[in-house]
């Protein structure tokens, strides 16, 4: 994967053009991954909270 | 004058969270950002149209909105609500590692995650805006003729790299922002960005009145 776009000018020198668009999907994937990670964290945390609540109501153990 | 303009902002028992100027700033920023991302990236994925003029005009709107926000924060709102505090960080670590089950800790006007998100967006948007303003030198506008020789070729390359990566990073941040805006337990934050207020109950449950002393309309 290329991270920058480079071309050759009329004198054969390499020239930095800008960001490569190849990593674009990575940024979209990172956003979607953050959603999945957060949703999982919330699910685990609420399960843990429910368990603790049940234990408190039944007097421990 | 502002108090008069906000008369309708909060019914009795409602706590004012975002005044009209802040809500306008948020939605103008949101609209201009969506236009900027669409005009910046649709051509990249193959949807071709004359995007340059729309892009730089939306960029100027975003720049004006940010300047307005900086003036509002400096002169009226202050920086306290967005200042990250050590005890918030400690609580976040305890919560994330399962040593604390969320409850108990109350934040100032903005929660730690909101503060961190704001600061991240601020840095990336400022990078995009600063490079975008420089790139305006390559665009013919009614106000000036383009001057592609303003910077050396390599420097132009750096400017384009920063602008491109800032734009791509903003896609990630936008996805995350929209996700949280629509999460059921966060909808009242979204409502407050539309109508300006939260309920007294929402305030008492989530915020430390010592750290955030909002205006309210009591019955």
């Amino acid at each position: 994967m290329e991270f920058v776009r480079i071309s050759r000018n009329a004198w054969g020198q390499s020239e930095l053009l800008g960001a490569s668009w190849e990593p674009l999907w990575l940024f979209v994937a990172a956003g979607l991954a953050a959603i999945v990670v957060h949703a999982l964290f919330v699910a685990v945390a609420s399960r843990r909270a429910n368990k603790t609540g049940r234990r408190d109501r039944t007097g421990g153990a | 004058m502002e108090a008069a303009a906000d008369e309708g902002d909060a019914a009795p028992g409602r706590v004012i969270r975002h005044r009209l100027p802040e809500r306008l700033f948020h939605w103008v920023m949101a609209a201009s950002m969506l236009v900027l991302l669409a005009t910046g990236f649709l051509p990249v994925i193959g949807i071709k149209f004359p995007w340059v003029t729309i892009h730089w005009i939306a960029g100027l709107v975003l720049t004006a909105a940010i300047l307005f926000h900086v003036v509002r924060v400096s002169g009226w709102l202050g920086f306290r609500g967005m200042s990250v505090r050590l005890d918030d960080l400690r609580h976040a670590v305890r919560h994330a590692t399962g040593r604390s089950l969320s409850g108990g800790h109350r934040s100032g006007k903005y929660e730690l995650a909101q503060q961190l998100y704001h600061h991240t967006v601020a840095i990336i948007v400022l990078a995009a805006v600063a490079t975008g303003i420089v790139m305006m030198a390559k665009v013919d506008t009614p106000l000036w003729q383009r001057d592609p020789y303003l910077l050396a070729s390599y420097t132009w390359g750096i400017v384009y790299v920063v602008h491109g990566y800032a734009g791509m990073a903003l896609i990630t941040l936008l996805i995350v922002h929209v996700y949280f805006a629509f999460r059921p337990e966060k909808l009242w934050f979204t409502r407050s960005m539309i109508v300006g207020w939260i309920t007294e109950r929402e305030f008492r449950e989530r915020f430390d009145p010592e750290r955030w002393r909002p205006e309210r309309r009591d019955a």
Side-chain angles (χ1 to χ4, degrees), chain B residues 44-197:
Chain B
V44 169
I45 60 170
I47 301 169
K48 306 287 182 193
F49 61 97
W51 58 273
V52 176
T53 305
I54 309 171
H55 192 79
W56 69 254
I57 290 172
L60 288 186
V61 171
L62 176 64
T63 307
I66 290 169
L67 288 175
F68 171 77
H69 181 60
V70 169
V71 170
R72 280 287 297 173
V73 170
S74 309
W76 285 269
L77 303 174
F79 297 91
R80 197 171 157 219
M82 276 295 170
S83 303
V84 175
R85 283 173 44 147
L86 210 57
D87 57 330
D88 289 335
L89 282 170
R90 280 199 205 102
H91 170 76
V93 171
R94 278 200 307 272
H95 181 50
T97 53
R99 282 180 284 157
S100 153
L101 292 173
S102 79
H105 186 79
R106 291 176 184 184
S107 69
K109 183 174 182 181
Y110 296 101
E111 295 177 348
L112 178 67
Q114 293 170 323
Q115 293 171 334
L116 296 179
Y117 182 86
H118 172 273
H119 299 330
T120 307
V121 168
I123 290 167
I124 293 174
V125 166
L126 287 177
V129 165
T131 49
I133 288 170
V134 176
M135 286 157 73
M136 292 285 289
K138 282 201 172 185
V139 179
D140 274 329
T141 75
L143 299 175
W144 62 83
Q145 295 284 302
R146 68 194 296 266
D147 177 13
Y149 305 107
L150 180 72
L151 300 175
S153 165
Y154 182 75
T155 313
W156 273 123
I158 298 287
V159 167
Y160 277 82
V161 167
V162 172
H163 197 73
Y165 274 97
M168 288 191 278
L170 285 168
I171 292 177
T172 309
L173 291 168
L174 177 73
I175 291 171
V176 171
H177 188 62
V178 171
Y179 163 71
F180 281 109
F182 284 102
R183 274 201 66 88
E185 77 277 13
K186 309 275 184 198
L187 276 176
W188 59 280
F189 277 127
T190 310
R191 185 199 62 218
S192 76
M193 192 49 85
I194 297 168
V195 296
W197 50 262

Side-chain angles (χ1 to χ4, degrees), chain A:
Chain A
M1 180 187 294
E2 297 197 336
F3 292 96
V4 291
R5 284 175 292 133
I6 294 172
S7 76
R8 297 228 165 251
N9 65 18
W11 295 273
Q13 299 159 319
S14 64
E15 203 171 348
L16 181 61
L17 293 181
S20 164
W21 303 124
E22 283 180 29
L24 178 58
W25 67 270
L26 278 180
F27 286 89
V28 176
L32 298 176
I35 290 175
V36 172
V37 168
H38 181 265
L40 286 174
F41 176 77
V42 169
V44 170
S46 71
R47 185 178 294 179
R48 201 165 52 204
N50 284 342
K51 232 183 241 175
T52 311
R54 252 199 319 265
R55 206 179 300 150
D56 289 346
R57 278 196 300 276
T58 55

